[in-house]
Amino acid sequence: MSRSNPSSLTTSRPQAPSPAPFRDALAAAVAAAPTGIVVSDPNQPDCPIVYANPAFFRITGYRPEEVIGRNCRFLQGAGTDPAHVHAIRRAIAERRSLDIELVNYRRDGTRFVNELHISPVFGPDGALRHFFGIQHDVTAREKLARANQRARRQAERASAEKSDFLAFMSHEIRTPMNGVMGTVSLLLDTALDAEQRAYAETARRCGETLLSTVNEMLDLSRIEAGRLSLEAIPFDLAKPVTEVLDLLGPAAAEKGLRLSASIDPTLPARVVGDPQRLRQVLLNLADNAVKFTSAGGVGIRVERAEAEGRIRFAVADTGIGIAPEVQRRLFQRFAQGAADTARRFGGSGLGLMICKQLVGLMGGKVALTSTPGKGSVFAFDIALDPVAESGRPPATLLPTPEAIAARVPAGARGRILLAEDGEANQLVAAAILRKAGYAVDLARDGEEAVGAARTAAYDLVLMDVRMPRMDGFAATAAIRAMPGAAGRVPILAMTASAMAGDREKCIAAGMDGHLPKPMDRAGLLAAVAEVLDARPRRPRALAPEEEPHGAPTLLDHTTLGELRSAVGPGRLPRLIGVFAEETRARLARLAATTDLMAIEEEAHGLKSAAGTFGAAALRETAAALEAACVAGEARTALALRDTLPALVERSLAAYPVRLSGSG
Ligand SMILES: Cc1cc2nc3c(=O)[nH]c(=O)nc-3n(C[C@H](O)[C@H](O)[C@H](O)COP(=O)(O)O)c2cc1C
């Protein structure tokens, strides 16, 4: 007789009867069990309970005489899911066992969660004899699970709120910092003695450190809140690498370190991925390497990974190396090893955490091999799909922002509307742009920006997103709704808020791009030059019938003010007199010809002079005239030419000085 089959009660298969000694033991065990155990008789009408153990009475609160002879459904109530009842009914009809969790009620009406197991019991002849059920009150467990779930949801909400708070705070910090950094960089452009320069340099360095910490904090909180999504765009594989070399070159040179990179030439030149985040990781690793290396060099290597289709990036240095016990803690946030060294070399120590998370998002893992005193290699491999080549020239290096800015010929500088409510930021951005040769009009909020865009023709609008009265999104919508060229003016958002999706929001609002704040001078000029370089050469917003809506700002008083301070207030009236004379002579020459080349020549000269003297509308029309000539659009050119005499007179009349002569 098998000991493992002691009773027909314990199995759902037909069994031989169990020996008597076990029956007593089994009965005692059932009576002592902490879970409810009932036996019901499916051969009687409505399958009544024929036995229930003490635990069943304890759990349900019923007395034996209230239970025996009844179907177990008396435990069910309003909260019991009918689907659960149906499942039990089917299992009984199909004579099989079932595990199910359902809501039941005690005699006093209190609810409990019953983890129920039922099984059929067959006789040796194969006939169904009984069903037994085991009831387990799991209310406490369920309560705990629900509490856990609630806590998790709460934590998720709190984390999202924290990340919103961080984004908000970072905006609040970055906006004034933009002003501070811009002002310091303007200050550094002025004549300073050595001591003053040293103080200003220190202020700039501290500002840069603060900004990078704010950015790191923001990145990390966004990654943790799952709000950072990676881009999948085609890019030159070499680009992020050369950008890192460009950025770190000066620091490495200062320390006398070799900084180099090698890219396996058999790798695809263009791949699909997130170049900016890849650059961020490489920059962070290489920046650390430069910091921790005092002799030798730092090298970035890009090569085929062992795994098919993956590319390995390695940053190796000949630095101080990292002890094994520190290596283990290095990627943990605020880890002592990381924090100590981070403090010693500057930085918040969040950088490596961010690298680890970003590479994780890209499907890779950062690995570190290091020998103290010899150096370290940080490496990771990620899958970057190649872009199909189609007679494309080989990967080119990205020109620096200065190089982009330098490409714009001085005469081609355009007119920019700067909508920004922060006075310091406005001042800084305007000064940078004007210094670079652009004409800049200012608006303090969205409404002013819309008004300005309606009355004057701009080559570009720089639009702060957060502004009083009307924000940048609404102002963009209003401008886009304008007819003609005014509605098509390129608009770049400037925003210090850096949450994922901001760029998309700006694009969806009809903007052409997005400039994160704070912006450095080179970044601002590069972005502006990029838009103005890309614009088609066309007479913008200045078709003759559109001109009257103009009364565009006749005089740019800022330019005039700058001119006044450059030449001295006493000399300005005389200079303007010269300009007036020269311009009237030009008008006479223009009236005498229909030759587009001759007109273009005059228009070019007029544009330049009008720009110098802040005759904004005149400069604009002259520029349009020049463009029309270049494009060979004779009718537009002649129509524009004919608007000039009146415009010249209105412009000259607007100068706050008495002019002699009437030409
Ligand atoms: C042995 C056995 C134990 C059962 N124990 C319970 C129980 O603890 N709680 C419950 O709600 N239903 C229990 N049931 C299910 C009900 O007795 C009944 O089968 C179910 O409500 C489906 O049938 P009905 O649609 O006729 O009500 C048990 C059934 C059997 C056979």
Side-chain angles (χ1 to χ4, degrees):
M1 195 53 48
S2 161
R3 284 184 59 155
S4 59
N5 270 336
S7 163
S8 60
L9 277 179
T10 57
T11 175
S12 54
R13 289 278 142 72
Q15 293 295 317
S18 307
F22 281 137
R23 267 191 215 128
D24 296 340
L26 284 171
V30 166
T35 59
I37 297 176
V38 298
V39 179
S40 62
D41 185 351
N43 298 313
Q44 289 188 47
D46 205 26
C47 193
I49 295 173
V50 293
Y51 170 82
N53 73 344
F56 181 87
F57 300 119
R58 234 187 0 259
I59 292 168
T60 64
Y62 285 96
R63 289 190 294 272
E65 61 273 26
E66 294 167 320
V67 167
I68 304 300
R70 289 176 73 187
N71 183 294
C72 236
R73 77 173 73 83
F74 66 85
L75 291 174
Q76 298 161 9
T80 310
D81 185 342
H84 292 160
V85 176
H86 178 75
I88 301 174
R89 196 183 316 132
R90 267 192 42 195
I92 294 171
E94 290 166 12
R95 302 170 157 211
R96 55 180 171 78
S97 58
L98 173 75
D99 289 285
I100 196 164
E101 224 173 74
L102 80 169
V103 170
N104 274 174
Y105 294 85
R106 286 181 252 274
R107 188 175 189 272
D108 63 6
T110 53
R111 171 187 180 282
F112 72 101
V113 180
N114 186 355
E115 186 185 71
L116 174 68
H117 169 88
I118 58 169
S119 270
V121 182
F122 299 96
D125 55 351
L128 178 66
R129 289 275 172 81
H130 294 101
F131 256 94
F132 73 89
I134 299 176
Q135 288 89 2
H136 190 187
D137 180 354
V138 294
T139 314
R141 189 180 75 189
E142 196 223 27
K143 233 187 198 149
L144 194 72
R146 268 216 301 253
N148 281 342
Q149 213 175 28
R150 232 188 345 260
R152 201 174 47 241
R153 268 205 305 270
Q154 244 162 21
E156 279 164 6
R157 249 200 320 271
S159 164
E161 274 166 18
K162 180 194 76 180
S163 128
D164 284 348
F165 173 74
L166 276 176
F168 177 77
M169 282 313 293
S170 87
H171 178 269
E172 296 299 298
I173 295 170
R174 296 208 291 175
T175 303
M177 273 310 284
N178 187 23
V180 172
M181 299 294 284
T183 312
V184 171
S185 96
L186 284 174
L187 181 65
L188 282 164
D189 274 355
T190 63
L192 298 175
D193 66 31
E195 190 182 2
Q196 289 166 335
R197 183 162 297 279
Y199 293 151
E201 293 281 8
T202 305
R204 178 164 64 185
R205 260 199 315 280
C206 293
E208 277 166 1
T209 308
L210 174 58
L211 273 176
S212 76
T213 303
V214 170
N215 286 337
E216 282 175 348
M217 241 165 62
L218 197 75
D219 266 350
L220 206 57
S221 74
R222 278 156 63 194
I223 296 171
E224 282 178 355
R227 293 202 194 176
L228 189 128
S229 49
L230 293 179
E231 288 205 287
I233 53 172
F235 67 96
D236 287 347
L237 182 59
K239 193 175 148 185
V241 178
T242 51
E243 283 175 347
V244 170
L245 293 185
D246 283 350
L247 284 164
L248 293 180
E254 209 168 277
K255 295 184 76 175
L257 298 176
R258 233 179 324 100
L259 180 63
S260 61
S262 70
I263 301 179
D264 178 346
T266 67
L267 284 171
R270 273 171 80 74
V271 292
V272 176
D274 191 327
Q276 220 167 328
R277 294 298 175 183
L278 179 57
R279 187 192 79 158
Q280 186 179 355
V281 172
L282 291 174
L283 182 63
N284 216 308
L285 296 177
D287 187 40
N288 268 345
V290 169
K291 277 187 188 136
F292 290 83
T293 305
S294 47
V298 172
I300 303 174
R301 191 203 292 262
V302 185
E303 59 197 2
R304 252 170 232 290
E306 270 171 31
E308 179 75 22
R310 292 175 75 87
I311 298 177
R312 179 175 185 270
F313 296 81
V315 177
D317 65 54
T318 54
I320 55 176
I322 302 162
E325 63 275 14
V326 180
Q327 285 183 28
R328 250 172 282 122
R329 283 174 297 162
L330 204 55
F331 290 99
Q332 287 160 24
R333 191 147 45 133
F334 310 129
Q336 205 48 43
D340 273 356
T341 32
R343 254 195 301 283
R344 199 144 52 88
F345 289 86
S348 64
L350 293 178
L352 271 183
M353 270 296 299
I354 294 172
C355 285
K356 178 185 157 185
Q357 304 258 30
L358 282 178
V359 170
L361 282 178
M362 294 179 198
K365 198 168 170 223
V366 183
L368 163 65
T369 43
S370 180
T371 318
K374 287 243 169 83
S376 312
V377 181
F378 285 87
F380 58 91
D381 64 69
I382 52 178
L384 292 170
D385 289 334
V387 176
E389 303 274 320
S390 54
R392 204 189 50 80
T396 47
L397 300 192
L398 183 82
T400 61
E402 285 78 4
I404 295 172
R407 275 211 313 261
V408 185
R413 297 272 146 125
R415 182 172 182 188
I416 297 171
L417 174 64
L418 174 66
E420 152 87 62
D421 66 313
E423 202 184 330
N425 286 340
Q426 196 183 58
L427 190 111
V428 167
I432 291 172
L433 291 168
R434 286 189 184 124
K435 248 188 162 161
Y438 297 100
V440 181
D441 288 349
L442 303 175
R444 274 169 313 181
D445 59 44
E447 272 180 30
E448 278 190 17
V450 173
R454 188 171 289 122
T455 51
Y458 291 101
D459 296 300
L460 172 66
V461 178
L462 291 175
M463 183 79 83
D464 191 14
V465 168
R466 280 201 199 182
M467 286 186 291
R469 294 211 295 169
M470 183 190 268
D471 69 15
F473 295 127
T476 300
I479 292 173
R480 288 286 175 253
M482 290 176 191
R488 296 193 301 267
V489 61
I491 302 177
L492 285 184
M494 303 182 295
T495 169
S497 102
M499 289 308 286
D502 272 0
R503 195 174 159 276
E504 290 68 22
K505 243 164 84 183
C506 293
I507 303 292
M511 299 184 191
D512 300 276
H514 173 262
L515 257 175
K517 284 204 291 189
M519 51 200 137
D520 52 294
R521 189 170 41 169
L524 174 63
L525 291 179
V528 168
E530 211 164 87
V531 172
L532 297 187
D533 266 1
R535 77 194 144 156
R537 285 177 67 85
R538 62 189 157 90
R540 304 191 48 257
L542 284 155
E545 65 277 14
E546 280 184 36
E547 207 272 331
H549 94 106
T553 320
L554 282 174
L555 290 190
D556 174 2
H557 288 275
T558 319
T559 307
L560 210 55
E562 278 170 2
L563 188 64
R564 182 181 289 114
S565 55
V567 300
R571 285 202 206 107
L572 191 62
R574 215 187 71 75
L575 281 175
I576 292 173
V578 172
F579 168 54
E581 246 178 73
E582 180 192 273
T583 303
R584 287 183 182 126
R586 261 190 222 290
L587 284 183
R589 288 198 296 273
L590 274 168
T593 181
T594 50
D595 174 23
L596 284 191
M597 262 165 73
I599 296 177
E600 183 192 329
E601 187 94 330
E602 294 295 344
H604 184 83
L606 180 58
K607 180 183 75 178
S608 162
T612 305
F613 285 88
L618 185 58
R619 185 200 160 279
E620 196 67 39
T621 305
L625 176 56
E626 184 188 11
C629 294
V630 170
E633 292 165 8
R635 275 185 53 184
T636 311
L638 294 179
L640 280 169
R641 180 195 64 172
D642 293 345
T643 67
L644 280 178
L647 182 57
V648 166
E649 287 316 312
R650 278 194 290 135
S651 304
L652 295 178
Y655 282 103
V657 292
R658 281 180 155 275
L659 299 176
S660 55
S662 66

